[in-house]
Amino acid sequence: MLDNNFDEAWHPGEGWEAMQGTNFSRYIGPFYYQPVGERVRFCMRTDNRHDNSHERAHGGVVMSFADEALGFAGRWTRENVKMFTIEFDCRFLDGIYSGEIIEVEPEVIKATGSLMFMRGDLTANGRPVASCTGVWKVFRNK
């Protein structure tokens, strides 16, 4: 059922911090992150702003969340870098209802001096909903 109540005060709980992402990610978010050992995981709560007119989260929102999360995770592993997505692939496995929590714990598959290859499997309330892979161009901050 469609959750028409956007709750700006929603927070995933203890240990989660709000991501200070791009203007776009703040517009469709908020997104949250939580360190897990050497890695980091991310979540967001879908709401009526994300509806694709079929009471599901729009695929563009899901891909944007995954792109931001994987990119942030890559920067998490390196200091003083900027990264830009140069390739991104996403397979949708199931629909995401408004009000569900999407989570991903990205994995760096390989990192070179100028490229980072990553993947992430997204879940909504524990259910597999998407699988993403991508390549990011790495630039050193000057």
Side-chain angles (χ1 to χ4, degrees):
M1 172 170 252
L2 183 62
D3 175 5
N4 286 316
N5 298 316
F6 169 56
D7 183 1
E8 198 168 327
W10 179 83
H11 189 276
E14 189 175 334
W16 291 92
E17 295 183 45
M19 247 176 82
Q20 299 302 316
T22 64
N23 287 335
F24 179 70
S25 65
R26 285 191 300 272
Y27 178 74
I28 65 171
F31 301 157
Y32 295 90
Y33 71 96
Q34 181 182 63
V36 181
E38 297 291 316
R39 293 170 60 175
V40 60
R41 70 179 177 165
F42 302 85
C43 77
M44 75 170 285
R45 180 179 183 264
T46 59
D47 60 53
N48 63 317
R49 297 173 301 152
H50 309 124
D51 179 37
N52 68 358
S53 300
H54 300 289
E55 297 188 356
R56 304 287 195 287
H58 191 283
V61 171
V62 177
M63 292 187 334
S64 294
F65 167 67
D67 179 45
E68 288 286 328
L70 271 65
F72 187 101
R75 289 187 303 278
W76 185 265
T77 66
R78 292 194 179 174
E79 291 184 18
N80 204 31
V81 297
K82 288 183 179 181
M83 296 174 55
F84 301 96
T85 311
I86 59 173
E87 182 178 307
F88 189 82
D89 186 39
C90 185
R91 287 160 228 70
F92 297 104
L93 308 173
D94 200 356
I96 301 165
Y97 291 95
S98 184
E100 289 192 299
I101 311 303
I102 308 172
E103 291 190 54
V104 62
E105 188 175 319
E107 174 186 3
V108 175
I109 299 168
K110 181 179 174 105
T112 69
S114 63
L115 296 174
M116 193 168 293
F117 301 82
M118 290 181 277
R119 67 175 306 278
D121 294 322
L122 285 71
T123 61
N125 294 0
R127 188 178 80 258
V129 293
S131 182
C132 302
T133 58
V135 182
W136 278 256
K137 175 71 175 157
V138 179
F139 297 90
R140 291 269 172 218
N141 287 335
K142 295 182 181 188

